[in-house]
Amino acid sequence: MLRGFVGLIFFTVFALANSSLVLKLKKPEQVLLSAAIISAPWSGGIWVAAIRFDFRLTYIFLLGAFLMGMKGSKRYANKIPQLIVIPFVFLIVWTFISGLQAYNPAIAMGDGPVTMLWNLIYLLAITKLIKKQSDLDFALKSAFIGLFYTCVLALLQYKIRMFEIGFIDSGIRSFMWWRPRATFMHPNAYGMYQLIIIPILFRQVIIMFRVKNTKMGSIYLVLLGLSTFTLLLTQNRGSWLGLAAAMVFTIGLDFFRRGSKKMRKVVVRVILIFLVLSSVPLTKYGPRMYDRLFTGKNAVDRKALSRSSYNTDAWIQLRKNPVWGVGVSNVRFYSSIIFTHNLYLLMASETGYPGFIMFVLYMFGFLITANKTMKSKNPYVSSMGAGFFTTMLALLIASYPGPDYAITPLVSSQLWIIGGMIISLLGIEKRMIRQQKIMRMKKRQELTPVQEAVPFSGMPPLNPGIASIN
């Protein structure tokens, strides 16, 4: 208890100090939003026993940022796509009604509609407060600061087995000694968290080197190596395969469908540098990865058979409760195993087919929105859009063998933080286009009617005044 209280104070001070001193944010709502993003990977909070809900530190900061942001203009700068917000609000209501008839309503409410409401507040706060590129930059830097201290703690816990700060997976760790605990959260949850952040960090590395900001590019490249290394230590195969497949696909688009010649050169250089830097740790951990994937007792092909049997109980409950499901986090009471190892089947069995459809709709809503930004003609928007698209695609792939998005608030919070950034990026691009149109209209209005009537023939005009304009 004392350790948890000390951890709570430490991360409160740490998050606020980084947002105000390191990022030099001055507006209170920006400081609180930044602190919420920085502390999002940490699981410590205040346990609300009535609904079995962990009121995490990040929610405290988020609530402050949300309330302060709502004091300003009621108009949202970024329009939230209906394909995202309508299915998600429907799912919140659906899980509430479903939870009323669940075997354990308290767990169903805490892990279901209550957690989902907090994720919706993340989306509303971020889309309200991030209006321009500088706002998005501080949000991204906040996510990277959170990533950095998470990686450091992961390495400390990996090397010092008894190193603990706050609530560090104490209830699960006892039967997870067979694998390296390279994180202060569950290894699978940490792998999914890294999967969400790494593609965006990779794109920031490319952007920094493209604009010749070598200092920040080098810092981000080191962080990319550190985060990738700690991801490997989790031995979470779902995040490995999901991230690898999504990265290959999106980088392929850089070469064959979009992007300038300069962008492709930067991408190639960053990949080469990253491969050279990662060659050293791969010599040690590469064989372990290969064994984990293909030859060991828990190899993918062998584990797939046992995972299919794990999912049998979820299929049984889905057939019995096809409309309402059994309630969020209630499949465990009807199952002989820990949890269903498939996010889509888990969502269907917990919320029924209607809830599952709404879940798929808003997940693909994020993917479609990211794809729109990826197609932008603006290099910054396009590159960041590619990072967001990679994140969403990787999460969708990795969720087939892993249910961590549904069972771990740490993972779902990260998705909605990034989801808010995706929508904000689309709004930033639209405002850029509007500003460019306004500038062009102003330039046209400055031209006199005589000047507009003179066509450009490719030859120097006789009138010196018109020549100076051209």
Side-chain angles (χ1 to χ4, degrees), residues 35-52:
I37 297 173
I38 290 172
S39 59
W42 187 55
S43 60
I46 301 171
W47 180 251
V48 183
I51 57 174
R52 300 183 63 82

Side-chain angles (χ1 to χ4, degrees), residues 47-211:
W47 180 251
V48 183
I51 57 174
R52 300 183 63 82
F53 178 74
D54 188 20
F55 190 77
R56 299 162 57 215
L57 176 63
T58 183
Y59 295 151
I60 299 173
F61 293 135
L62 177 64
L63 184 61
F66 177 74
L67 294 176
M68 296 190 74
M70 293 303 107
K71 288 182 179 179
S73 172
K74 300 298 181 182
R75 181 176 175 272
Y76 269 77
N78 302 298
K79 185 178 179 181
I80 303 176
Q82 293 184 354
L83 188 59
I84 294 174
V85 70
I86 291 179
F88 192 61
V89 172
F90 176 90
L91 186 60
I92 292 174
V93 177
W94 197 262
T95 53
F96 176 80
I97 300 173
S98 173
L100 294 176
Q101 51 83 43
Y103 178 83
N104 191 320
I107 292 180
M109 293 299 174
D111 292 348
V114 175
T115 298
M116 291 178 185
L117 276 172
W118 281 109
N119 289 335
L120 182 60
I121 293 175
Y122 262 123
L123 185 73
L124 296 175
I126 289 174
T127 52
K128 175 73 175 180
L129 297 176
I130 297 179
K131 303 175 182 178
K132 49 192 177 183
Q133 184 175 330
S134 58
D135 296 333
L136 183 60
D137 286 341
F138 91 72
L140 288 169
K141 288 178 181 177
S142 301
F144 298 153
I145 289 173
L147 174 66
F148 172 73
Y149 81 75
T150 305
C151 289
V152 171
L153 285 175
L155 289 174
L156 285 172
Q157 192 177 12
Y158 180 62
K159 286 298 183 182
I160 308 174
R161 290 294 176 121
M162 301 308 296
F163 186 87
E164 295 183 357
I165 293 180
F167 305 99
I168 310 177
D169 208 12
S170 57
I172 299 176
R173 201 176 45 209
S174 59
F175 59 87
M176 297 295 288
W177 286 110
W178 63 271
R179 72 198 297 178
R181 297 174 299 104
T183 172
F184 70 140
M185 61 182 86
H186 190 284
N188 291 345
Y190 183 72
M192 298 298 286
Y193 161 71
Q194 294 280 51
L195 172 146
I196 292 172
I197 302 295
I198 285 177
I200 301 164
L201 176 60
F202 175 75
R203 289 292 161 176
Q204 274 289 301
V205 172
I206 292 173
I207 290 172
M208 291 299 107
F209 281 119
R210 188 176 186 276
V211 299

Side-chain angles (χ1 to χ4, degrees), residues 140 143-144 147 151 190-206 220-232 234 239-240 242-244 246-247 251 270 274 384 386-388 390-392 394 414 418:
L140 288 169
F144 298 153
L147 174 66
C151 289
Y190 183 72
M192 298 298 286
Y193 161 71
Q194 294 280 51
L195 172 146
I196 292 172
I197 302 295
I198 285 177
I200 301 164
L201 176 60
F202 175 75
R203 289 292 161 176
Q204 274 289 301
V205 172
I206 292 173
Y220 286 158
L221 186 61
V222 171
L223 180 58
L224 179 64
L226 180 63
S227 57
T228 304
F229 177 64
T230 53
L231 170 63
L232 298 181
T234 64
S239 59
W240 292 353
L243 179 61
M247 290 286 280
I251 292 173
V270 170
F274 180 76
M384 285 309 306
F388 292 136
T390 307
T391 285
M392 288 306 308
Q414 291 301 322
I418 299 305

Side-chain angles (χ1 to χ4, degrees), residues 134-409:
S134 58
D135 296 333
L136 183 60
D137 286 341
F138 91 72
L140 288 169
K141 288 178 181 177
S142 301
F144 298 153
I145 289 173
L147 174 66
F148 172 73
Y149 81 75
T150 305
C151 289
V152 171
L153 285 175
L155 289 174
L156 285 172
Q157 192 177 12
Y158 180 62
K159 286 298 183 182
I160 308 174
R161 290 294 176 121
M162 301 308 296
F163 186 87
E164 295 183 357
I165 293 180
F167 305 99
I168 310 177
D169 208 12
S170 57
I172 299 176
R173 201 176 45 209
S174 59
F175 59 87
M176 297 295 288
W177 286 110
W178 63 271
R179 72 198 297 178
R181 297 174 299 104
T183 172
F184 70 140
M185 61 182 86
H186 190 284
N188 291 345
Y190 183 72
M192 298 298 286
Y193 161 71
Q194 294 280 51
L195 172 146
I196 292 172
I197 302 295
I198 285 177
I200 301 164
L201 176 60
F202 175 75
R203 289 292 161 176
Q204 274 289 301
V205 172
I206 292 173
I207 290 172
M208 291 299 107
F209 281 119
R210 188 176 186 276
V211 299
K212 300 187 185 306
N213 189 342
T214 308
K215 179 181 178 181
M216 289 305 301
S218 301
I219 292 173
Y220 286 158
L221 186 61
V222 171
L223 180 58
L224 179 64
L226 180 63
S227 57
T228 304
F229 177 64
T230 53
L231 170 63
L232 298 181
L233 296 180
T234 64
Q235 297 196 34
N236 181 233
R237 294 164 299 188
S239 59
W240 292 353
L241 297 175
L243 179 61
M247 290 286 280
V248 169
F249 177 80
T250 314
I251 292 173
L253 294 181
D254 286 327
F255 287 92
F256 300 109
R257 195 181 72 173
R258 55 172 213 90
S260 64
K261 185 177 180 180
K262 182 179 179 181
M263 175 66 75
R264 288 194 290 269
K265 287 183 178 180
V266 175
V267 171
V268 171
R269 289 172 183 172
V270 170
I271 293 175
L272 289 176
I273 294 172
F274 180 76
L275 290 176
V276 170
L277 294 177
S278 61
S279 60
V280 176
L282 279 177
T283 56
K284 179 177 181 180
Y285 293 97
R288 184 182 299 181
M289 290 177 60
Y290 184 83
D291 180 72
R292 175 84 169 134
L293 288 170
F294 304 112
T295 61
K297 64 178 181 179
N298 291 302
V300 173
D301 56 345
R302 299 176 185 178
K303 203 65 177 177
L305 296 174
S306 62
R307 292 286 170 87
S308 62
S309 63
Y310 290 172
N311 299 336
T312 301
D313 293 333
W315 278 114
I316 293 173
Q317 297 309 315
L318 178 59
R319 286 193 291 268
K320 289 182 178 180
N321 305 276
V323 179
W324 296 106
V326 298
V328 175
S329 295
N330 270 248
V331 173
R332 70 181 74 171
F333 301 112
Y334 306 95
S335 178
S336 58
I337 51 93
I338 308 168
F339 50 75
T340 303
H341 283 264
N342 185 308
L343 175 62
Y344 306 105
L345 177 58
L346 181 64
M347 289 297 296
S349 60
E350 289 181 346
T351 64
Y353 285 111
F356 168 73
I357 292 171
M358 294 301 108
F359 166 74
V360 172
L361 280 177
Y362 78 73
M363 290 289 278
F364 275 91
F366 281 126
L367 186 69
I368 292 169
T369 306
N371 185 51
K372 289 180 180 179
T373 60
M374 188 170 62
K375 293 180 179 179
S376 172
K377 295 180 180 179
N378 183 294
Y380 175 83
V381 175
S382 176
S383 186
M384 285 309 306
F388 292 136
F389 181 87
T390 307
T391 285
M392 288 306 308
L393 184 60
L395 182 60
L396 288 169
I397 295 172
S399 293
Y400 182 78
D404 299 277
Y405 171 83
I407 66 176
T408 311

